[in-house]
């Protein structure tokens, strides 16, 4: 287990979690590392919370990660960032989250207060984990937020053994033409 | 850019990142499968998506989505009976629908061989139960193989096809959700055209004369005998099969023998495991700091069990834990076997109900094993206490612009407080959640018509001499799948029920597969069978049809229909907006549309949030409502729900 690196990626159905997981898995493969993972997409397009797992390195077997054992958590939404940090982030791990809010029903109904960024930071602090907030709202096309977040992960070098070239090659497996160019720009330049 | 369709037809051997479901299609191509059928249901629809990625003219087999799992099974059977190797795939509960024909298959002589791929769903990730379909294999005398990973899924399907052909029978390949969806680098073999030609049974072998395929009365017994004899032969094959593997543990002295400190030798311990739990167990073993490691017998042949292999494993160990997801199917057989063989091995089965519930995830398996053998599997350090609250729950919900939401809102307005609504399966099942709360009971696809009929028969009288009124919801794919017999029954036996048909033109919940009213099938244009025409053909004469976005009209239609008698239908029609918006986004010049809140007009009544419940509406601290631009599609079905008319076309936001 020593060399395994576990990633938990989460957000709300429709945000492109599966794409993010696929890109990371392919980047790891390009880097010559063993990789496995799994999307949990039962009702992925129906606005529920969804998650993908990616595990990199030797000595990991299940496509699923043990709770509290994700070295890196990537969340594309504020409430899901809180949930994932509580349930999945390992002590001394890293949380990268894209700050947009799609309020879950209990918040909209006023049964629960809206989630605030400091709540998420407090969990990270308690776990001694790193914390990167990608500011939301600045992207023309909301469907590119997953790639912007991937850029934050790649530029900070948060996945050991993967370099920028691996991510670029991975994206080139998955898209082409103008879409690829746009996403590469997000990956490299940031938002 | 890589294309799945090219990969699936690649002539040479290669490795590629893929999910289990896609890898299965490569196994079909390599094995020369000729006919493939299905009815959509998670976790299997990605098999069809992988098939679709191969352009129709290059597709080496024919595929169809049949109207339900029983039909799909029968089509695959008919083709295989005549010598064409076939595969049928569907989700766990699909087997209940297929069962009447399915259980007969082992009685038959199936020249081409057929494989039934079952997507079981431990953990009920996307199903109404987590039924363990291994029971069906035992009940019908049908062989069942089970892989533990995506790579194994690909390899095991090839073994299943070979076995089905060699024994002229049907074989089950049982997968579970996270084996279907497991992703990793998979090594694929080359396409071997010559070997393929040799292995092929050719079609046209089913003769128009003899009657040995008619199991009636006394004719059943030779057929059942043949099925049982085949099972006995297969047990020998299972015993020798490379699908099972024996993995010696690690210990200071001898496999599985753990030296207790300074004392007598610790018991020899072993684990019997199958499927994905094996990978969870491997993780638990790697994570354990304990010195010793038990031996493992990992099974790939689940029915018939390799009893010789298991008996030897039992004899070699003092204690054997059976690590088994869902029901104790292997456990009960292994215990019986140990009893018959007079073995005194201590067999640790399920320790309680918890071990029969849910998926055997790495988290769960770590707990189970540490319960069984804390010395070998110490519990990991507890998680530090975390500050603050839990994240609010986020159940799945109807999409922005969904016609079902608009319909439910209107129907709710039309119903009296004593009226009962019955839910059915589809996206519209989500209507039972707050704030709409439409639909009170759910069994299975298409049940609603007859459950409603029964509720109506019960006919409870209400104060003032009124009768309780019953309405039920039905999707348009489900209409063809399983509702028709119930509808015929309701017409024939004059049940007083109102069907609200949620017609969105597609099989939405499982990923927008076409259905018989769509005018298309998997392979191209097809004659449409409109739902309304089908109903009229059945003699239903009380039918109203309303656009689901026209809430007043729909409510009026439901109100009138509720007061009538007999079998009545209100068709609430609107295309699936998720499908519609996806297609619109792809067209050049697409301009996103939104609504916004006229803050001057808004009275903060929050009907949009607490009664209509479109996820686009967000509430900020001072009670103002804003429209989330990333969610809102500008459909405007919400406008009618605002008592002060404050929802207007706009740019989203405040
Ligand atoms: C026997 C069975 N087969 C398949 C499924 C999977 N399934 C869940 S919802 C659904 C489709 C329902 O489509 P439709 O009736 O048109 O309703 P919609 O989702 O479009 O609202 C299917 C096939 C199931 N639950 N049970």
């Amino acid at each position: 287990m020593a060399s395994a690196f576990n990633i938990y990626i989460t957000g709300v159905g429709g945000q492109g979690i599966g794409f993010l997981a696929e890109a990371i898995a392919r980047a790891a493969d390009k880097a010559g590392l063993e990789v496995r993972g799994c999307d949990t997409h039962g009702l992925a397009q129906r606005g529920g919370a969804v998650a993908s797992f990616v595990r990199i390195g030797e000595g990991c077997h299940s496509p699923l990660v043990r709770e509290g054992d994700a070295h890196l958590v990537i969340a594309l939404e504020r409430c899901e960032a809180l949930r994932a940090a509580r349930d999945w982030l390992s002590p001394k791990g890293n949380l990268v989250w894209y700050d947009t809010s799609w309020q879950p029903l209990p918040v909209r109904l006023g049964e629960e207060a809206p989630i605030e960024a400091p709540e998420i930071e407090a969990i990270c602090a308690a776990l001694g984990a790193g914390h990167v907030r990608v500011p939301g709202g600045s992207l023309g096309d909301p469907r590119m937020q997953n790639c912007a977040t991937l850029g934050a992960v790649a530029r900070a070098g948060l996945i050991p053994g993967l370099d920028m070239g691996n991510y670029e090659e991975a994206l080139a497996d998955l898209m082409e033409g103008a879409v690829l160019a746009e996403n590469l720009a997000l990956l490299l330049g940031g938002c | 850019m890589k294309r799945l369709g090219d990969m699936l037809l690649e002539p040479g051997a290669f490795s590629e990142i893929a999910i289990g479901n896609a890898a299965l299609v490569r196994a079909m191509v390599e094995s020369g499968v000729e006919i493939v059928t299905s009815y959509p249901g998670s976790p299997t629809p990605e098999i069809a998506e992988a098939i679709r990625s191969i352009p129709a003219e290059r597709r080496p087999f024919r595929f169809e989505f049949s109207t339900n799992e029983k039909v799909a099974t029968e089509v695959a059977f008919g083709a295989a009976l005549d010598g064409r190797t076939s595969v049928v795939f569907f989700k766990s509960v699909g087997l209940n629908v297929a069962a009447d024909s399915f259980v007969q298959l082992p009685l038959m002589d199936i020249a081409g061989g057929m494989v039934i791929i079952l997507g079981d769903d431990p953990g009920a990730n996307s199903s109404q139960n987590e039924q363990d379909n291994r029971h069906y294999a035992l009940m019908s005398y049908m062989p069942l193989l089970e892989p533990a990973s995506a790579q194994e899924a690909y390899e095991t399907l090839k073994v299943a096809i070979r076995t089905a052909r060699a024994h002229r029978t049907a074989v089950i390949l049982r997968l579970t959700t996270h084996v279907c969806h497991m992703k990793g680098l998979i090594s694929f073999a080359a396409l071997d055209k010559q070997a393929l030609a040799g292995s092929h049974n050719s079609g046209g072998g089913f003769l128009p004369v003899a009657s040995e395929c008619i199991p009636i009365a006394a004719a059943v017994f030779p057929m059942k005998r043949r099925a049982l004899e085949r099972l006995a032969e297969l047990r020998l094959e299972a015993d020798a099969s490379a699908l099972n593997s024996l993995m010696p543990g690690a210990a200071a002295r001898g496999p599985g023998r753990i030296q207790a400190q300074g004392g007598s030798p610790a018991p020899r311990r072993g684990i019997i495991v199958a499927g994905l739990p094996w990978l969870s167990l491997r993780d638990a073993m790697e994570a354990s700091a304990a010195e010793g490691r038990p031996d493992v017998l990992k099974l790939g042949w689940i029915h018939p069990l390799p009893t010789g292999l298991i008996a030897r494993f039992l004899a070699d160990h003092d204690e054997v834990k059976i690590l088994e997801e869902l029901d104790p199917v292997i456990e009960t057989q292994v215990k019986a076997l140990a009893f018959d063989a007079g073995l005194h091995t201590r067999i640790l089965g399920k320790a309680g109900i918890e071990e029969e519930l849910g998926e055997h995830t790495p988290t769960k398996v770590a707990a189970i094993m540490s319960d069984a053998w804390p010395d070998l599997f110490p519990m990991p350090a507890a998680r530090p206490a975390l500050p603050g609250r839990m994240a609010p729950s986020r159940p799945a919900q109807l999409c922005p612009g969904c016609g079902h939401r608009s319909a439910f809102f209107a129907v709710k307005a039309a119903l009296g407080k004593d009226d009962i609504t019955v839910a059915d399966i589809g996206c519209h099942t989500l209507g039972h959640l707050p704030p709409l709360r439409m639909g009170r009971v759910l069994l299975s696809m298409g049940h609603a018509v007859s459950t409603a009929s029964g509720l109506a028969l019960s006919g409870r009288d209400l104060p003032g001499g009124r009768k309780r009124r019953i309405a039920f919801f039905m999707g348009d794919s489900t209409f063809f799948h399983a509702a028709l017999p119930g509808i015929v029954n309701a017409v024939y036996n004059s049940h007083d029920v109102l069907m609200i048909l949620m017609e969105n033109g597609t099989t939405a919940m499982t990923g927008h597969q076409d259905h018989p009213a769509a005018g298309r099938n998997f392979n191209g244009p097809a004659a449409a069978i409109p739902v309304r025409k089908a109903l009229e053909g059945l003699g239903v004469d009380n039918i109203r049809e309303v656009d689901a976005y026209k809430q007043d009209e729909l409510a009026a239609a439901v109100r009138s229909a509720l007061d009538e008698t007999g079998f009545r239908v209100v068709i609430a029609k609107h295309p699936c907006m998720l499908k519609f918006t996806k297609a619109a986004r792809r067209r050049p010049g697409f301009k996103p549309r939104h609504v916004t809140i006229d803050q001057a007009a808004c009275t903060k009544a929050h009907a949009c949030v607490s009664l209509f419940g479109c996820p686009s509406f967000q509430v900020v601290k001072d009670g103002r409502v804003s429209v989330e631009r990333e969610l809102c599609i500008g459909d405007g079905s919400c406008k009618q729900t605002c008592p002060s008319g404050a929802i207007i076309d706009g740019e989203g936001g405040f």
Side-chain angles (χ1 to χ4, degrees):
Chain A
M1 197 79 125
S3 64
F5 188 80
N6 299 326
I7 308 169
Y8 181 80
I9 307 167
T10 184
V12 182
Q15 285 192 301
I17 304 300
F19 168 81
L20 200 49
E22 180 80 17
I24 292 173
R26 285 184 175 270
D29 181 51
K30 305 283 177 196
L33 299 170
E34 256 186 54
V35 62
R36 74 214 63 234
C38 187
D39 297 343
T40 61
H41 47 175
L43 301 170
Q45 302 200 290
R46 310 296 176 267
V50 292
S52 291
F53 301 93
V54 181
R55 309 187 69 198
I56 300 173
E58 284 166 28
C60 49
H61 303 285
S62 172
L64 309 174
V65 172
R66 204 192 267 196
E67 281 162 33
D69 205 19
H71 303 101
L72 173 64
V73 169
I74 303 174
L76 291 184
E77 196 273 343
R78 197 183 297 169
C79 174
E80 296 320 307
L82 177 65
R83 192 189 322 280
R86 291 197 74 94
D87 296 348
W88 296 93
L89 185 59
S90 76
K92 310 248 179 328
N94 279 298
L95 169 72
V96 177
W97 63 290
Y98 181 84
D99 192 3
T100 190
S101 165
W102 293 7
Q103 293 176 340
L105 191 67
V107 172
R108 283 183 274 132
L109 292 180
E111 294 161 4
E112 293 252 13
I115 286 90
E116 308 281 356
E119 296 180 68
I120 298 167
E121 285 156 23
I123 304 282
C124 291
L127 289 168
H131 176 271
V132 179
R133 173 180 164 273
V134 182
S138 54
L139 293 170
D141 184 344
R143 284 168 305 150
M144 294 196 140
Q145 52 197 218
N146 50 11
C147 211
T149 310
L150 183 65
V153 169
R155 290 193 303 278
L158 291 177
I159 305 179
L162 271 61
D163 62 31
M164 194 50 97
N166 302 137
Y167 291 102
E168 290 177 49
E169 275 182 82
L171 290 190
D173 270 5
L174 298 173
M175 44 183 69
E176 58 194 2
V179 182
L180 175 61
E182 269 177 313
N183 279 282
L184 282 177
L186 274 175
L187 180 74
L188 296 167
C191 40
Chain B
M1 181 171 163
K2 293 196 170 170
R3 285 175 213 284
L4 181 59
D6 294 338
M7 171 192 114
L8 294 170
L9 297 182
E10 163 70 40
F14 66 103
S15 311
E16 187 54 84
I17 299 276
I19 60 167
N21 276 346
L24 294 171
V25 177
R26 174 72 182 189
M28 294 176 201
V29 173
E30 282 180 34
S31 308
V33 167
E34 293 183 273
I35 307 288
V36 183
T37 61
S38 177
Y39 183 77
S42 202
T44 64
E46 300 82 9
I47 304 175
E49 281 168 33
I51 292 172
R52 195 188 289 286
S53 77
I54 307 176
E57 65 283 0
R58 294 174 66 201
R59 215 173 280 153
F61 50 77
R62 185 192 191 274
F63 175 75
E64 74 174 42
F65 274 125
S66 309
T67 39
N68 69 30
E69 293 85 354
K70 180 168 183 280
V71 174
T73 302
E74 289 153 355
V75 172
F77 165 66
L81 188 65
D82 199 42
R84 311 263 173 209
T85 305
S86 65
V87 171
V88 53
F89 61 89
F90 43 75
K91 77 178 283 138
S92 55
V93 290
L95 187 51
N96 304 326
V97 176
D100 204 9
S101 289
F102 167 90
V103 294
Q104 297 300 107
L105 297 176
L107 301 185
M108 299 291 154
D109 175 39
I110 307 175
M114 71 183 278
V115 173
I116 298 127
I117 300 178
L118 298 178
D120 275 12
D121 191 15
N125 297 279
S126 48
S127 312
Q128 64 266 34
N129 70 20
E130 51 171 6
Q131 72 182 50
D132 190 331
N133 275 335
R134 295 177 301 172
H135 292 294
Y136 271 106
L138 271 66
M139 174 183 140
S140 63
Y141 328 117
M142 202 180 298
L144 182 148
L145 312 181
E146 180 169 356
S149 68
Q151 178 81 45
E152 284 187 16
Y154 155 75
E155 284 159 6
T156 309
L157 176 53
K158 294 202 283 183
V159 175
I161 293 168
R162 278 202 297 276
T163 307
R165 278 181 178 146
H167 291 269
R168 302 168 67 98
T169 190
V171 174
I172 302 168
L173 180 74
R174 176 180 185 256
L175 307 173
T176 54
T177 297
H178 293 130
V179 171
C180 288
H181 296 158
M182 179 175 182
K183 183 183 295 178
L185 190 68
I186 302 184
S187 317
F188 294 103
L191 296 184
D192 186 342
K193 290 244 160 68
Q194 268 174 333
L196 207 59
S199 74
H200 247 223
N201 306 310
S202 53
F206 189 64
L207 300 175
V209 277
S211 64
E212 61 267 19
C213 293
I214 310 283
I216 288 290
V220 167
F221 298 100
M223 299 171 94
K224 179 170 171 182
R225 184 179 302 280
R226 182 175 59 195
L228 291 170
E229 285 169 356
R230 187 190 297 121
L231 217 50
E233 285 165 32
L234 284 166
R235 199 180 290 284
L236 300 178
E237 256 175 65
D239 252 332
S241 169
L243 295 179
N244 309 310
S245 41
L246 187 62
M247 282 152 289
R253 233 177 17 174
R257 183 170 288 269
I258 294 98
Q259 197 66 36
Q261 271 180 339
S264 56
R268 296 166 304 161
R269 285 163 169 172
I271 301 174
I272 297 178
V273 66
L276 199 61
W278 158 230
L279 300 186
S280 299
L281 175 64
R282 280 187 91 177
D283 278 344
M285 295 201 301
E286 301 250 359
S288 165
E291 204 193 314
R293 220 181 244 196
D295 301 331
V296 174
L297 175 60
K298 184 249 171 189
L299 300 176
W301 267 92
I302 305 303
H303 190 62
L305 279 176
T307 35
L309 188 63
I310 293 172
R312 284 193 298 282
F313 189 77
L314 291 178
D316 285 346
H317 294 88
D318 302 310
E319 280 183 16
V320 168
K321 167 74 184 171
I322 298 171
L323 183 65
E324 183 173 23
E325 199 165 58
L326 301 180
D327 302 348
V329 173
I330 296 176
E331 178 184 328
T332 44
Q333 294 181 78
V334 170
K335 283 178 173 167
L337 187 155
F339 180 84
D340 286 347
L343 293 166
H344 296 289
T345 314
R346 184 166 166 250
I347 298 172
L348 287 77
K350 292 186 179 286
I353 286 176
E354 274 317 304
E355 288 188 34
E356 292 188 41
L357 285 172
E359 198 178 352
H360 272 28
T361 59
T363 310
K364 182 154 193 155
V365 165
I368 291 174
M369 290 315 302
S370 118
D371 235 27
W373 293 326
D375 54 331
L376 291 188
F377 296 89
M379 259 321 253
R383 195 160 173 72
L386 297 174
R389 58 171 164 163
M390 307 289 258
S393 67
R394 188 192 297 275
Q397 53 192 325
L398 296 167
C399 303
C402 180
H404 294 343
R405 174 184 292 103
S406 188
F408 283 133
F409 189 80
V411 171
K412 194 167 181 172
L415 289 168
K417 74 171 181 15
D418 298 311
D419 298 333
I420 289 183
T421 53
V422 178
D424 208 273
I425 290 196
C427 284
H428 47 89
T429 310
L430 298 172
H432 84 279
L433 293 168
L436 294 159
R437 293 198 168 282
M438 286 281 94
R440 306 298 297 152
V441 55
L442 178 73
L443 285 177
S444 62
M445 280 183 80
H447 90 104
V449 55
S450 315
T451 298
S453 298
L455 277 164
L457 267 192
S458 158
R460 181 160 319 150
D461 292 326
L462 300 168
R466 288 174 304 123
K467 283 255 185 269
R468 189 179 59 180
R469 302 174 302 180
I470 312 288
F472 66 92
F473 302 102
M474 187 61 64
D476 47 356
S477 186
T478 306
F479 174 85
F480 295 105
H481 172 282
L484 283 171
I487 291 172
V488 171
N489 182 65
V491 173
Y492 177 56
N493 286 312
S494 346
H495 288 292
D496 276 330
V497 290
L498 167 60
M499 170 161 84
I500 300 172
L501 201 108
M502 313 291 265
E503 190 180 353
N504 60 4
T506 187
T507 316
M509 181 61 119
T510 47
H512 302 126
Q513 295 83 4
D514 288 322
H515 60 55
R520 287 186 60 77
N521 63 26
F522 192 86
N523 300 305
I529 305 170
V531 167
R532 180 175 188 136
K533 259 187 144 171
L535 285 166
E536 286 166 352
L538 295 176
V540 180
D541 51 11
N542 187 342
I543 305 179
R544 295 172 170 87
E545 196 170 335
V546 186
D547 183 333
Y549 273 16
K550 295 187 174 152
Q551 291 163 6
D552 287 342
E553 236 178 89
L554 181 55
V558 171
R559 240 175 242 122
S560 312
L562 274 170
D563 281 334
E564 293 159 1
T565 52
F567 185 72
R568 299 143 278 155
V569 179
V570 173
I571 301 178
K573 195 169 178 143
H574 205 83
C576 168
M577 293 308 281
L578 180 62
K579 185 178 174 193
F580 183 87
T581 311
K582 265 191 183 163
R585 278 213 176 98
R586 271 189 233 115
R587 284 195 282 275
F590 166 76
K591 280 217 173 52
R593 290 168 47 194
H594 306 291
V595 298
T596 195
I597 307 294
D598 176 352
Q599 297 292 343
C602 174
T603 60
K604 298 184 181 173
H606 289 181
C608 55
V609 173
S610 58
L611 302 178
F612 192 57
C614 175
S616 307
F617 296 112
Q618 314 275 301
V619 186
V620 294
K621 271 199 192 129
D622 60 8
R624 278 182 305 157
V625 174
S626 89
V627 175
E628 176 54 59
R629 292 166 51 92
E630 292 176 15
L631 291 169
C632 175
I633 61 166
D635 53 281
S637 60
C638 49
K639 289 181 189 168
Q640 339 158 44
T641 69
C642 178
S644 52
I647 306 176
I648 53 175
D649 289 330
E651 291 300 306
F654 290 102

